[in-house]
Amino acid sequence: MVIEMTSGATDAQINAVIARIQELGFSFQLNQGEVKTVIAVLGENTGAVETGTFEVLDGVEQVVRIQKPFKLASLGFKPERTIVEIGDVKIGGKELVIMAGPCSVESQEQVMACAEVVKKAGGQFLRGGAYKPRTSPFAFQGLEEEGLKILANAREKTGLLVVTEVVSPEHADLVSSYADILQIGARNMQNYPLLKAVAKTHSPVLLKRGLASTVEEWLCAADYILSENGDSPNVILCHRGITTFDKSTRYSYDDGVIPVLRHLTHLPIISDPSHPAGNFHYVPAYAKSAVAMGTDGLIIEIHPDPKTAKSDGAQSLTFSDFERLMADLQILSQCPAISRGN
Ligand code: PEP
Ligand code: MN
C-alpha cells in the first residue's frame, strides 16, 4: 500500500500519517519526490487495512494498493527514475555508463593494462573480481583482499571508479572500503543475509539477475536492499542472461527485459553482454542491442590476453575489439531514436 500526499502536504501532516502507520504496527518508507511525498506502508498484513484508514487523514491525496510483491523498487512507490550518482558519474542519467575490466583480478599489471584501456576509451568504471563465486570449487577463487588492493591502486592511478563482487556477508564492509559499487553475482541474487549485509554498508549495489530467476524475484531481492536504504535508493539492476534449454550460447541473452524493467521499476539498468555470450564473437552485437533497448550502461569483460585468462577468457574482448566496440557505442548512443534517462 502506498499513500500519496498532496503536493502541498506539510511535515506535520506527513508525520501524522507516519504515526498512524506505526500505531497499526507497520513500518514505512518515504519517497520525497520533487512534486510530492509518497509513503509506502510495509508489513505482512497491509492487505487487511482499509484504504480509508489513511484517506481520512489531512494532506493525503490517495491511497493505492501495490498488487506486486515488490514495493520499494516499483514505479508505484517512486514514479521518478532513480539516478545513482557516484562522484560525477550518473547511472541512469543521459550518458551511457561503461564498466569494463577482467573477469578476475590476476595481477597488478593485468589490471593496470585493462584500466588504462578503459580510461582511454572513455569508460567510467573498472570491473574485476577479487572474490570469485565459481561453479566448481576447484576453479580459481580469486586473490581476495590482495585483489581489492590491486583494484584500488588502479583507481588511484586512473581515476576510474571500481565495481567488484561480494560473495559473503562477512566481507561486505571490507569490500565496500575498497570499491565504489558492490556487485551481487547471479548465484547470490537470493542470498538474503548477503543482501542485508551489503545494504547495511550503504554502498551502491549492482544486483545481477539470478541464473533462473523471474523479474518479480529479482525486484523483490532489490527490495531487500532498498528497505535498508530506500530514502537514497542506490540499487542498479544488471541483467546477464538466464538459463534456458538452448545451449548455443552460455546463457540466453535477456535484453528484452530492459523495456519490461522500465515499465515496472525506477531503478537504473546495466547490461552484461559477456556472460550470456560466453564467446567474444557475440559480445559486440549483444552490447549494441542493449543500447538500442535503452540500457543505462554496460559491464564488459576484457583481458590483455584472453587465451591465458584465469576465468571467462572465451568471452573476454581483446583491447582492440573493446576499443572498436567503444567507438561503435559512441555513435549508437547518440542516436536520437534511443531513449535513455527519461
Ligand atoms: C562475473 O561478473 O564475473 C560473474 C561471476 O558474473 P555472474 O554472477 O553474472 O555469473
Ligand atoms: Mn566473469
Side-chain angles (χ1 to χ4, degrees):
M1 179 183 276
V2 295
I3 301 166
E4 288 179 27
M5 303 300 290
T6 56
S7 54
T10 63
D11 285 351
Q13 290 169 336
I14 294 169
N15 289 336
V17 171
I18 290 170
R20 188 78 183 102
I21 293 171
Q22 289 175 323
E23 222 172 77
L24 292 166
F26 297 116
S27 59
F28 70 95
Q29 186 87 240
L30 272 191
N31 168 33
Q32 268 161 325
E34 264 168 37
V35 185
K36 59 177 139 184
T37 296
V38 180
I39 310 170
V41 185
L42 304 169
E44 248 180 71
N45 234 338
T46 54
V49 181
E50 299 280 337
T51 53
T53 311
F54 298 107
E55 276 159 356
V56 296
L57 300 178
D58 289 341
V60 171
E61 185 165 286
Q62 60 169 341
V63 179
V64 185
R65 290 198 188 280
I66 300 186
Q67 304 296 348
K68 309 254 189 286
F70 53 88
K71 313 282 180 208
L72 304 178
S74 74
L75 272 183
F77 172 57
K78 185 172 182 291
E80 62 281 355
R81 295 267 308 274
T82 288
I83 296 179
V84 175
E85 281 192 59
I86 307 169
D88 53 9
V89 177
K90 292 186 170 73
I91 305 171
K94 293 241 174 284
E95 208 187 326
L96 184 74
V97 172
I98 302 295
M99 308 175 174
C103 177
S104 297
V105 172
E106 297 168 10
S107 68
Q108 187 72 70
E109 298 66 44
Q110 170 233 25
V111 167
M112 267 318 295
C114 292
E116 272 158 17
V117 169
V118 174
K119 178 81 188 173
K120 193 155 158 263
Q124 295 85 355
F125 280 85
L126 173 66
R127 67 143 286 154
Y131 294 88
K132 296 303 301 176
R134 305 304 298 282
T135 300
S136 163
F138 310 116
F140 177 60
Q141 304 288 310
L143 295 182
E144 306 187 338
E145 191 171 359
E146 190 198 331
L148 296 175
K149 288 187 177 148
I150 290 174
L151 288 167
N153 217 351
R155 173 178 53 195
E156 205 167 294
K157 295 221 168 78
T158 58
L160 288 171
L161 298 163
V162 164
V163 52
T164 193
E165 183 162 354
V166 187
V167 297
S168 63
E170 64 267 27
H171 294 144
D173 286 330
L174 177 76
V175 179
S176 85
S177 70
Y178 287 98
D180 300 286
I181 296 184
L182 306 183
Q183 176 177 322
I184 295 293
R187 288 155 194 79
N188 276 317
M189 188 204 84
Q190 287 180 308
N191 180 341
Y192 300 120
L194 180 61
L195 298 182
K196 288 181 190 167
V198 294
K200 286 211 171 69
T201 68
H202 289 267
S203 292
V205 178
L206 183 77
L207 179 64
K208 286 196 150 192
R209 181 177 184 172
L211 309 176
S213 297
T214 64
V215 168
E216 218 167 76
E217 288 163 341
W218 190 15
L219 295 176
C220 282
D223 263 7
Y224 264 85
I225 304 163
L226 294 171
S227 62
E228 198 65 52
N229 60 22
D231 32 1
S232 61
N234 54 8
V235 175
I236 304 142
L237 299 167
C238 176
H239 70 92
R240 48 76 72 213
I242 49 176
T243 299
T244 69
F245 55 86
D246 184 18
K247 297 297 165 219
S248 61
T249 51
R250 189 174 176 196
Y251 297 95
S252 293
Y253 192 39
D254 54 341
D255 58 343
V257 81
I258 296 168
V260 176
L261 292 175
R262 287 276 180 260
H263 196 68
L264 295 174
T265 178
H266 52 88
L267 297 172
I269 304 161
I270 293 285
S271 303
D272 176 347
S274 305
H275 289 84
N279 181 318
F280 73 93
H281 279 115
Y282 311 139
V283 171
Y286 281 16
K288 288 184 260 189
S289 163
V291 173
M293 285 275 191
T295 193
D296 294 306
L298 293 157
I299 183 162
I300 302 170
E301 288 186 342
I302 63 173
H303 197 281
D305 181 18
K307 288 186 293 304
T308 64
K310 291 209 162 136
S311 61
D312 290 350
Q315 68 200 31
S316 299
L317 296 185
T318 60
F319 290 168
S320 56
D321 282 350
F322 174 68
E323 284 162 348
R324 206 167 305 125
L325 172 59
M326 287 293 279
D328 284 352
L329 292 175
Q330 183 70 23
I331 299 165
L332 190 59
S333 65
Q334 304 301 325
C335 173
I338 293 170
S339 62
R340 194 171 36 256
N342 51 28

